[in-house]
Amino acid sequence: MAHDHHLDIPIDSFRLPSATWTHVRNVLVATTVVGWGACLAGYLQDHDQFSRSYLVAFLATIFMALGGMLFVMIQHLTNSAWSVTVRRFMESLMMSLPVGAILFIPIALNVHSLYVWSLPGGVAHFSGGKASYLNERFFVIRAFIYFLIWTALSWRLWAISRKQDETKSASLCYSAAKVSAPGVFFLFITATLAAFDWNMSINPHWYSTIYGVYCITGGAWGFFACLILICMRLRANGILTHSITVEHYHDLGKWQFALTAFWAYIAFSQYMLIWYANMPEETIYYKVRMEGTWRLLTLALPLIHFIFPFFLLIARPAKRTLSILSFISVYVLIVHYLDVYWMIMPNYAKSGIQFHWMDLAALVAVVGTFGFFFWQRLKDAPIVPEGDPRLAKSLRFHNV
Amino acid sequence: MAQMTQELLEKDRLALEEMNQPLITGNPSYHDVTRVVSQIVEVRTAKIWWMALGITGGITGLLFSMLGYLVWNGIGVWGNNSPVGWGWDITNFVFWIGIGHAGTLISAILFLFRQKWRTSINRFAEAMTLFAVACAGIYPAFHVGRPWRAYWLFPIPIADHGMWQNFRSPLEWDVFAVSTYATVSLLFWFVGLIPDLAILRDRATTKFRRIAYGVLSLGWRSSSEHWKNYEKAYTILAGISTPLVLSVHTIVSFDFAVAILPGWHTTIFPPYFVAGAIFSGFAMVVTLMVIARWVFKVEHIITMKHLENMCKVMVATGTIVGYAYATEFFIAWYSGNQYEQFTFINRATGPYAWAYWTMISCNVLSPQVFWFKKMRTCIPVMFVISIIVNIGMWFERFVIIATSLHRDFLPSSWGYFRPTIVDILTFFGTFGLFITLFLLFLRFLPMIAVQEVKGTLAADKH
């Protein structure tokens, strides 16, 4: 920087202590192995239940990783300085996307348990050319294309950021922005289609144009909670305590708040228009979600996904009190899971909510796997993009 | 090798330079900013201004005579008729309301996002918001047929003969949404103006000016207490305005989307309309800004960086609109619903194909040139594109309205909408009103938020 100020704040180590790293890695490996073991046992017991539990776990997490990629790109595009100290965690969450391609395999192998259109005669009563879209082969090809694009984008952004750690070259900020601009475009298109394919086509007759935006927003909401939680856990262990300050938490809290409102806006738009027009082919979506105990979750969702977090986070002190923010991020992750559960499960369990131990097993396996790779990335890499010329600004950052 | 390193260093130097590029160029002093902006309203009225006002005033006169003609003869003088019961009136209403959104986005949302580049352009864009809302309001007020009874839209207990408003209609929600929007925008604009009005008061050379600006500046003395209250009020108003950016156009989209008509009823309408509104608003800001900064020689305050950022917003929102068009089309196909499919295929290939493809070319294709920095920083290009975008966004509303209505479920009642000369002249007239109000604004109020720009200048200097 042309006029670098003297940094009068204590500087943290930007590396994870190796003992801490190994310890967490071991915990992750153990949990993941247990999770997959349980999944295997469950799969042998009940194909269908495993596939469905697994799909919920997979979708709840993969859209968070997409949210991560979206926000890495937004930081680059807006030349954002405040977020530099938390960006490395965003980036490593984004790097879950290539791993997602492997985690997608159980879904590709169990299409018959998940999607009625894949069953013999399942598409027979589709009019138009829908069968040419909803068929197993094209479904897998599309998923492959999505992961190809996501992998290419996330690898490229990660590589640029890592290169900057070493060269400290300012022009790499622009290289990242150049990837991000078309990146956001491709991310939106592919994530929308993925939401249509993986979530919406479970009921192949139902459709909603806003559905992609709904899934992306929900994922981004969960992503911020995840990011806050990671920073908080490290902070509790004395890591980056001076680099990620209450000012950064305040801004992360603002994003959590903004996305709470935005999710509500999108969810309301969908509900309102379907309710008002009252056409059976659309209202079926909410009708099945008002059956049995699903009704409870349907009615609770506006309260737990919007009203409560919205009014909690609206106050400035809430976003600056780390214990509250820490609570809300755990809360958000639970509610985000419930939201995805609510999108998927009523298609199968029509009589009401039936939580199954495999829901938990699949979640542990998927989150554990993502977590393992997330953590692996932070072994050698600095946990803050130390070569970014905006780092000094970020360290000094203050909300006014 | 050495040469490569050299090249890289040069690239980094340029990158850093660009990253820390000041928003205001030429390093003016605080006083320079005050002087440059205040002088615009202090110098003797230029002849050209009178000439411009004469022309736009004439066009405004045309608007009012058309409206008078309408009231005298009835709504039949417009082209609306079965099956296209909503024609240019609601198209123009949505068009003008949309224009206003850039002002609110710039003043409220960009403020909350700490986007400092908003400061040179916010006043201008907010003024545009108010004038656009004024133009928009004309259409529903006159479409009721008896505008002297337009107050029936409000749930006033004294309303005549036990009339009850239809609270189930999004048109009624529009009344609340738009009037709230107009009120909050006016307050926000006025609160922001107070410190600048005080500058004009203090610089006033005539008694009349001193009194007029003195009354308007509400006793502003620039004390730290005043500033503290001011900033609190400003932040609160920004917070209140932010949901309004979304709510107004969301409800406008409900006007269509709550219906069961294919082409109108689709769940993506609310965010899609909001993005389109911001898109058209930014285009209008660019159109007017390019002229104003040149005429008033404030190119160092409203710099290329501001214009470039606006072009970036245009390519982003234009592409979001494109995303919405594509999603609608895809889902119409995916739904397997033949009425949905017919509507969209008819849009692209039917009698209104010309309008549809105008919309696609103007809104989705034309802003794509802004992917290139050369284009984003070329004033003639951005001026032309901004006008093209405004044309495209008008067509978007027209396409949504006319193509969805003109061929409904019964082929025997199919038709084709043609505007009458009254439609055309009324719409033309609203531009006269819009520009007249703008000229008055430029003449009597500081077009740039002087005090805020000084804040940006301070940030640049440190």
Side-chain angles (χ1 to χ4, degrees), chain B residues 31-237:
Chain B
H31 180 68
D32 290 339
V33 178
T34 308
R35 189 174 45 76
V36 168
V37 179
S38 306
Q39 267 179 358
I40 298 172
V41 296
E42 287 167 349
V43 293
R44 239 179 95 86
T45 313
K47 254 200 199 116
I48 180 101
W49 185 86
W50 283 113
M51 275 162 57
L53 191 74
I55 296 169
T56 60
I59 301 172
T60 312
L62 183 67
L63 168 71
F64 286 112
S65 47
M66 282 302 123
L67 292 175
Y69 182 72
L70 174 95
V71 171
W72 190 258
N73 289 287
I75 300 298
V77 300
W78 280 347
N80 310 9
N81 214 330
S82 187
V84 184
W86 273 356
W88 274 35
D89 48 349
I90 199 139
T91 304
N92 298 340
F93 164 72
V94 181
F95 171 79
W96 278 117
I97 280 283
I99 297 281
H101 278 59
T104 327
L105 183 98
I106 291 170
S107 49
I109 295 188
L110 295 188
F111 175 72
L112 296 182
F113 277 102
R114 295 194 296 261
Q115 296 297 308
K116 290 207 179 74
W117 61 275
R118 69 183 268 292
T119 44
S120 296
I121 55 174
N122 64 337
R123 170 76 41 75
F124 195 89
E126 286 169 45
M128 192 193 72
T129 297
L130 294 170
F131 306 148
V133 171
C135 292
I138 290 174
Y139 287 96
F142 279 83
H143 197 176
V144 298
R146 295 172 177 80
W148 55 94
R149 286 196 172 153
Y151 72 92
W152 282 16
L153 290 166
F154 292 94
I156 306 169
I158 53 153
D160 321 41
H161 318 303
M163 269 283 293
W164 286 91
Q165 289 69 32
N166 183 4
F167 287 108
R168 287 179 297 183
S169 164
L171 295 174
E172 180 68 18
W173 311 338
D174 266 340
V175 175
F176 306 123
V178 176
S179 52
T180 310
Y181 181 56
T183 314
V184 174
S185 300
L186 182 67
L187 277 175
F188 199 8
W189 184 63
F190 182 66
V191 168
L193 264 169
I194 291 172
D196 289 359
L197 288 168
I199 292 180
L200 291 180
R201 173 199 62 198
D202 299 340
R203 288 169 58 94
T205 45
T206 66
K207 195 168 182 194
F208 176 75
R209 288 179 75 92
R210 198 162 60 240
I211 292 173
Y213 288 119
V215 168
L216 286 173
S217 56
L218 305 179
W220 179 267
R221 290 288 177 281
S222 269
S223 74
S224 64
E225 196 65 22
H226 283 181
W227 276 111
K228 215 176 120 195
N229 289 336
Y230 169 85
E231 291 194 345
K232 193 161 261 174
Y234 201 84
T235 311
I236 291 172
L237 281 168

Side-chain angles (χ1 to χ4, degrees), chain A residues 1 3 79 82 127 129-130 132-134 169-171 173-174 181-182 185 188-189 192 196 200-201 204 206-210 213 251 254-255 265-266 268-270 272-274 276-277 279 281-282 389-390 393 397 399, chain B residues 8 11-12 15-16 18-20 112-115 168-170 173 246-247 250 253-254 257-260 265-272 274 305 312 319 323 327-328 330-331 333-337 340-341 371 460 462:
Chain A
M1 215 174 279
H3 42 83
N79 189 12
W82 74 270
S127 58
K130 202 164 183 172
S132 63
Y133 188 77
L134 291 182
S169 153
S171 60
C173 294
Y174 286 90
F185 176 78
F188 254 83
I189 303 284
T192 302
F196 290 166
M200 200 170 83
S201 84
W206 185 77
Y207 51 87
S208 167
T209 41
I210 207 171
V213 184
D251 265 19
K254 286 180 196 167
W255 270 113
Y265 171 62
I266 298 299
F268 172 75
S269 297
Q270 175 170 282
M272 172 72 190
L273 292 174
I274 289 177
Y276 203 112
M279 294 195 292
E281 64 261 43
E282 287 185 345
R390 296 162 294 202
K393 235 183 193 173
F397 164 65
N399 274 288
Chain B
L8 201 68
K11 238 169 108 184
D12 286 343
L16 274 177
E18 184 166 345
M19 209 175 276
N20 299 312
L112 296 182
F113 277 102
R114 295 194 296 261
Q115 296 297 308
R168 287 179 297 183
S169 164
W173 311 338
L246 295 159
S247 70
T250 294
S253 81
F254 282 178
V258 298
I260 53 167
H265 177 68
T266 181
T267 50
I268 206 167
F269 253 39
Y272 149 42
V274 171
K305 178 126 180 154
K312 284 183 184 169
T319 312
Y323 164 87
T327 311
E328 268 188 312
F330 173 74
I331 290 290
W333 173 77
Y334 174 91
S335 72
N337 179 328
E340 284 280 336
Q341 291 171 351
W371 282 95
D460 275 351
H462 289 282

Side-chain angles (χ1 to χ4, degrees), chain A residues 300-315:
Chain A
L301 215 46
L303 297 174
I304 59 175
H305 207 307
F306 172 56
I307 301 283
F308 176 67
F310 181 85
F311 284 103
L312 185 70
L313 283 172
I314 198 167

Side-chain angles (χ1 to χ4, degrees), chain A residues 146-214:
Chain A
Y146 307 150
F147 280 111
L148 199 69
I149 292 172
W150 298 341
T151 303
L153 287 171
S154 50
W155 275 356
R156 187 81 197 102
L157 287 168
W158 175 264
I160 292 171
S161 189
R162 287 289 286 125
K163 193 173 164 200
Q164 196 174 41
D165 289 343
E166 280 144 32
T167 63
K168 305 205 184 312
S169 153
S171 60
L172 286 172
C173 294
Y174 286 90
S175 313
K178 269 188 185 142
V179 177
S180 301
V184 171
F185 176 78
F186 286 111
L187 169 67
F188 254 83
I189 303 284
T190 50
T192 302
L193 288 173
F196 290 166
D197 286 5
W198 301 343
N199 302 18
M200 200 170 83
S201 84
I202 299 174
N203 177 354
H205 297 285
W206 185 77
Y207 51 87
S208 167
T209 41
I210 207 171
Y211 201 78
V213 184
Y214 182 95

